[in-house]
C-alpha cells in the first residue's frame, strides 16, 4: 500500500487517535527515506480527507508537490547513541507528564450525556473508561513533535494495558512505563544502559555538590560537574576562594573565603594562604588592600581613586590642571579662564573685567565656563568679521512703513 493509502487506512480505521496515527504513518515512511522528522500530521490529515472533503484542483497537486519536496529534503544531522538515549528519556518523561496533566484535567468529568447514573451503570465508570483514556492520549504530543508521536504510536498497547489492567498495581506510570517497560530512563541517581550508580552514590550523586552526567537517563558517563564551590572527581574538595567548613565521608561543605583571599583555611583575612591581586600581607600576615594610588598610576589630567583590591582613574574637574581628587577644590593649578577663590578654582567672568574684551563696534560679550565669546548685538549680523545691521526683507519693511488705514464715516 502506498504512503497516502496507509495514511487513509489509518485515518478511517483508527479509533480516537486517527489524525495522530495517520501522521505517524507518514513520518515513519518518510524517516526511512531520510526526510526531516517534523512532517506534520495535519498535512497527512489533508491527504486523508474523503473525496467529498478533499480540496478541489489545483490544491491536491500542490499538496502532493509539497509532500514530495519534504521527502527530498536532506535528513537532519545524525545523533550519537548517548544523545539518542537522553532524548528518548526526555520524550518519555514528557509523555508521562502530559498524561498526568490529562488525568488532572479530566478528574471531574463524566460522559456528558446527561444521565450519569445510567451511563456509569451501562458503560462502566468514566474514571476508568476508554473514552477518558482517548481524551488523555489525544493531547500527549504536539503535532510537530516526531519523537513523542512516534513513541506513543509504537507503545500505545503498553499505555492501554497499564490503564485497564496495571494501574492499581503500578501507580507510578513513569517508573513502570519509562524505566521498567521501555527501559529508556533510569531511577534517579543512576545513569547509562545498565543504570549504574552515579559517582558519590545514587542517594546523593556527586555528594550533593554537583550534577551527575546522564542522571536518570540511559545516557551519560556518570561523571560529576561540580558546583562552583567544589572540585574533584566526587565534588568533595573546595575550589580556589573557598575553604572546607565541614568534611566527612559523605558530606562536604565549602564556604567562601574572605574577599582578600585567593586560597584560605578560614573565614577571615588572617586565614589567607595567598592574597588576591590588589591585596598584600601586612606584618600580622593578614591580607590587606594594596593602595595602588601611592604609585601615581594615572595620567596628568586624572586622579586616582583607590578601591578594595583595585583602583580607578577619574577625570579631573574642567577647572583644574592636575588634581588630587574630585571637584574644583582639589585642583593643583587652575586652568586658563579660572582663578583660585575660597580654595576653589572658579570661572573668571571676562565680560565684567575693567578692560573690555569685545572691542569691535556693535559687539556684545557672552561669558562661558573658562572663557567667553563675542557676538553681534541684537539687530546685527556677522559679515566677514564685522557686525553689520541686519537687512530687512521687503515684507518686513512694508509692514513697518505701511500706516493703518482709517475709514471716514459721514454723520447720519
Amino acid at each position: 500500500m502506498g504512503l497516502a493509502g496507509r495514511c487513509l487506512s489509518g485515518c478511517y480505521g483508527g479509533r480516537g487517535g486517527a489524525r495522530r496515527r495517520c501522521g505517524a504513518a507518514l513520518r515513519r515512511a518518510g524517516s526511512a527515506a531520510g526526510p526531516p522528522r517534523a512532517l506534520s500530521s495535519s498535512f497527512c490529515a489533508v491527504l486523508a480527507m474523503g473525496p467529498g472533503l478533499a480540496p478541489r484542483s489545483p490544491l491536491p497537486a500542490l499538496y502532493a508537490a509539497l509532500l514530495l519536496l519534504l521527502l527530498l529534503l536532506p535528513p537532519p544531522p545524525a545523533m550519537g547513541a548517548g544523545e539518542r538515549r537522553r532524548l528518548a528519556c526526555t520524550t518519555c518523561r514528557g509523555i508521562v507528564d502530559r498524561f498526568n496533566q490529562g488525568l488532572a484535567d479530566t478528574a471531574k468529568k463524566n460522559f456528558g450525556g446527561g444521565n450519569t447514573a445510567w451511563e456509569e451503570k451501562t458503560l462502566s465508570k468514566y474514571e476508568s473508561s476508554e473514552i477518558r483514556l482517548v481524551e488523555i492520549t489525544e493531547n500527549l504530543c504536539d503535532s510537530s513533535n516526531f519523537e513523542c508521536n512516534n513513541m506513543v504510536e509504537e507503545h500505545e498497547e503498553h499505555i492501554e494495558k497499564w490503564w485497564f489492567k496495571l494501574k492499581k498495581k503500578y501507580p507510578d506510570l513513569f517508573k513502570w512505563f519509562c524505566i521498567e517497560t521501555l527501559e529508556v530512563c533510569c531511577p534517579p541517581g543512576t545513569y547509562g544502559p545498565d543504570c549504574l550508580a552515579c559517582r558519590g552514590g545514587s542517594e546523593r550523586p556527586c555528594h550533593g555538590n554537583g550534577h551527575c552526567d546522564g542522571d536518570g537517563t540511559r545516557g551519560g558517563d556518570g561523571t560529576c560537574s561540580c558546583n562552583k564551590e567544589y572540585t574533584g572527581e566526587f565534588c568533595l574538595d573546595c575550589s580556589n576562594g573557598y575553604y572546607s567548613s565541614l568534611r566527612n565521608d559523605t558530606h562536604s561543605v565549602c564556604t567562601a573565603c574572605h574577599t582578600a583571599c585567593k586560597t584560605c583555611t578560614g573565614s577571615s583575612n588572617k586565614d589567607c594562604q595567598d592574597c588576591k591581586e590588589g591585596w598584600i600581607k601586612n606584618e600580622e600576615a593578614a591580607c590587606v588592600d594594596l593602595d595602588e594610588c601611592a604609585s601615581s598610576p594615572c595620567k596628568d589630567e586624572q586622579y586616582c581613586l583607590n578601591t578594595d583590591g583595585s583602583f580607578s582613574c577619574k577625570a579631573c574637574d574642567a577647572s583644574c590642571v592636575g588634581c588630587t581628587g574630585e571637584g574644583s577644590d582639589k585642583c593643583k593649578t587652575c586652568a586658563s579662564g579660572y582663578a583660585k577663590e575660597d580654595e576653589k578654582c572658579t570661572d573668571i567672568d571676562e565680560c565684567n573685567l575693567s578692560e573690555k574684551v569685545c572691542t569691535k563696534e556693535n559687539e556684545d560679550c557672552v561669558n562661558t565656563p573658562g572663557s567667553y565669546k563675542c557676538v553681534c548685538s541684537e539687530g546685527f549680523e556677522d559679515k566677514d568679521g564685522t557686525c553689520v545691521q541686519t537687512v530687512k526683507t521687503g515684507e518686513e519693511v512694508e509692514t513697518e512703513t505701511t500706516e493703518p488705514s482709517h475709514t471716514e464715516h459721514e454723520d447720519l
Side-chain angles (χ1 to χ4, degrees), residues 90-289:
T90 300
T91 301
C92 194
R93 187 183 297 276
I95 289 170
V96 170
D97 288 345
R98 294 277 283 260
F99 195 99
N100 289 332
Q101 184 60 51
L103 285 173
D105 292 342
T106 58
K108 296 182 179 181
K109 292 181 67 175
N110 53 46
F111 289 108
N115 190 340
T116 303
W118 178 88
E119 288 166 345
E120 292 192 347
K121 180 180 179 181
T122 308
L123 304 175
S124 78
K125 289 187 177 295
Y126 171 82
E127 179 185 6
S128 57
S129 68
E130 182 175 1
I131 290 177
R132 187 185 184 194
L133 174 63
V134 169
E135 289 179 358
I136 294 172
T137 55
E138 279 298 295
N139 295 301
L140 293 181
C141 306
D142 295 330
S143 61
S144 60
N145 190 332
F146 169 81
E147 287 79 12
C148 180
N149 281 287
N150 194 49
M151 183 174 285
V152 171
E153 178 71 17
E154 289 184 4
H155 303 289
E156 195 170 21
E157 291 81 4
H158 289 306
I159 296 175
E160 292 177 352
K161 180 180 178 181
W162 177 83
W163 178 258
F164 291 115
K165 298 180 179 179
L166 301 175
K167 186 166 49 174
K168 291 184 179 179
K169 185 176 180 180
Y170 302 102
D172 188 339
L173 178 59
F174 176 76
K175 181 180 179 182
W176 180 84
F177 186 58
C178 300
I179 298 176
E180 298 175 354
T181 303
L182 302 192
E183 296 184 347
V184 293
C185 294
C186 287
T190 63
Y191 73 95
D194 299 318
C195 294
L196 303 176
C198 291
R199 283 165 174 73
S202 60
E203 293 298 318
R204 296 182 71 247
C206 305
H207 293 91
N209 300 326
H211 174 72
C212 168
D213 183 48
D215 190 352
T217 76
R218 298 279 169 159
D221 58 11
T223 57
C224 291
S225 297
C226 303
N227 300 336
K228 65 178 183 178
E229 301 94 333
Y230 302 89
T231 187
E233 183 180 0
F234 299 96
C235 299
L236 287 171
D237 302 323
C238 295
S239 302
N240 284 346
Y242 298 87
Y243 70 95
S244 179
S245 55
L246 173 66
R247 176 73 180 262
N248 56 36
D249 292 339
T250 59
H251 288 73
S252 175
V253 177
C254 294
T255 305
C257 296
H258 186 275
T259 306
C261 304
K262 183 177 181 181
T263 57
C264 67
T265 57
S267 60
S268 78
N269 63 336
K270 293 182 179 180
D271 297 316
C272 300
Q273 294 175 315
D274 298 293
C275 298
K276 284 183 182 177
E277 184 178 357
W279 303 80
I280 190 170
K281 285 197 175 183
N282 63 11
E283 61 277 4
E284 298 177 357
C287 288
V288 295
D289 175 52

